[in-house]
Amino acid sequence: MPIALTPPAAPEVKNLENAKVESLNKRKIICFSDFDGTIFMQDTGHVLFDNHGCGSKRRELLDEQIKKGERSFRDVSEEMWGSLNVPFEDGFDVMDQTLEIDPDFQSFHKFCVGNNIPFNVISAGLKPILRRVLDTFLGEEESAHIQIVANDAQISADGSNWKPIWRHDTELGHDKALSVQEARKEAELTCEDGTIPLIVFIGDGVSDLPAAREADVLFARRGLRLEEYCVEHKIEYIPFDTFADIQREIVKIREEDAKKTGGKGVPARFNPRANMWRRVSSKNAVPKLVSMTPSREEKMFLWPDAFSELKTPSAEATESSLMPVQENVVSGAPTTRVQA
């Protein structure tokens, strides 16, 4: 199913801001948000694994294997999901008791619907679970306005076999950056006069970095790993405590963009690096762009095929053997050239 670029028709919702927002609808804005730890405070998969699968101790050990580079995210995830032994419907009893939704998310989503801002969930989780959780906490009618970009799943009727159907053939299973790129390209086709859509990403963890790099505006939940990483590596972001903070900032950003650009051309908060990423292949560009990436941790998320390998001498040599690079500037955008 394609990513939501235009929200489904919905009953009129009163704007929560001044009526002048009506005049700011020229610039298409598309919101992407992580799910676990962002919209909901807990991780849906962890709730299931701890109560109906491998248990919290084994899960924590598997998480450490990912962090240490001993196993890939996809490999570990398949073991975790494969450990579940619970029918699909029964798995939600514990979720109803455990999950907490951001207190202002529902109001924020109504704001998006009322202001023609498509809202997409982008997650490394399983789409059937995320959809059921949204249906339960928001109601099916409101949930239907949210497009979910995630992995599918095959789940046996008796709950004895849970198998992820990965969205992309990488060690992460779902390349969030690629999904955002696809959405931006599709949105550009629907915009008039060459107007570039404004891409907003909302997240909480380092695994959100690939998609965050493709966004024009990044919101990071305050006090969590994504914010820490942004501070450490001087990545521009806006902190938030609840989705009410995000709503206020988006209103300001729309007003700013209308004043500076009139809704035409590129957004006032345009991300030139994201524009560069759209023009290159994430696999073929590894030798040329690796010097622009601050750490191996980030390289692992940006290029999983090249940098998420198990810890072996050959894997380490792959990175150390890269040729030195020289940075140039072409049309105002940074590029790199491999030295001969």
Side-chain angles (χ1 to χ4, degrees), residues 16-17 107-108 111 243-251:
L16 302 181
E17 299 293 328
S107 296
F108 172 78
F111 162 82
F243 274 78
D245 301 325
I246 299 172
Q247 181 174 320
R248 284 191 294 270
E249 290 298 325
I250 287 181
V251 170

Side-chain angles (χ1 to χ4, degrees), residues 31-32 38 108 198-205 212 215-224 226-231 234-254 256 268-269:
C31 277
F32 289 89
T38 302
F108 172 78
L198 180 78
I199 302 296
V200 173
F201 185 81
I202 308 161
D204 70 293
D216 297 305
V217 178
L218 168 63
F219 290 94
R221 186 172 283 282
R222 195 187 306 274
L224 298 184
L226 180 58
E227 182 184 39
E228 293 174 357
Y229 195 91
C230 289
V231 171
K234 297 180 173 57
I235 299 172
E236 187 173 351
Y237 76 103
I238 302 173
F240 76 96
D241 293 306
T242 76
F243 274 78
D245 301 325
I246 299 172
Q247 181 174 320
R248 284 191 294 270
E249 290 298 325
I250 287 181
V251 170
K252 293 178 184 177
I253 290 169
R254 298 184 79 181
E256 172 193 79
R269 299 200 185 193

Side-chain angles (χ1 to χ4, degrees), residues 144-160:
H145 294 291
I146 299 177
Q147 176 63 41
I148 298 176
V149 186
N151 303 299
D152 283 311
Q154 290 181 346
I155 305 171
S156 62
D158 64 358
S160 62

Side-chain angles (χ1 to χ4, degrees), residues 300-338:
M300 288 173 62
F301 287 105
L302 293 172
W303 299 293
D305 289 343
F307 292 106
S308 289
E309 301 173 2
L310 302 185
K311 286 188 171 180
T312 63
S314 59
E316 295 296 329
T318 299
E319 185 177 4
S320 62
S321 62
L322 287 172
M323 301 174 70
V325 296
Q326 177 176 325
E327 189 168 291
N328 295 292
V329 175
V330 179
S331 300
T335 62
T336 56
R337 176 172 60 86
V338 178

Side-chain angles (χ1 to χ4, degrees), residues 14 28 61 67 185-186 193 254 266 303:
K14 294 292 184 181
K28 180 180 286 291
L61 176 62
K67 293 176 183 177
K185 290 176 181 177
E186 289 182 39
D193 302 324
R254 298 184 79 181
V266 300
W303 299 293

Side-chain angles (χ1 to χ4, degrees), residues 14 26 51 74 134 186 196 215 220 232 270 313:
K14 294 292 184 181
K26 291 183 179 179
N51 290 275
R74 178 169 172 167
L134 288 175
E186 289 182 39
I196 305 297
E232 290 169 7
F270 183 63

Side-chain angles (χ1 to χ4, degrees), residues 3 122 168 175-183 185 210-211 214:
I3 292 167
I122 184 166
H168 297 124
D175 185 340
K176 293 183 180 181
L178 180 57
S179 292
V180 175
Q181 288 175 1
E182 292 169 352
K185 290 176 181 177
E214 298 296 331

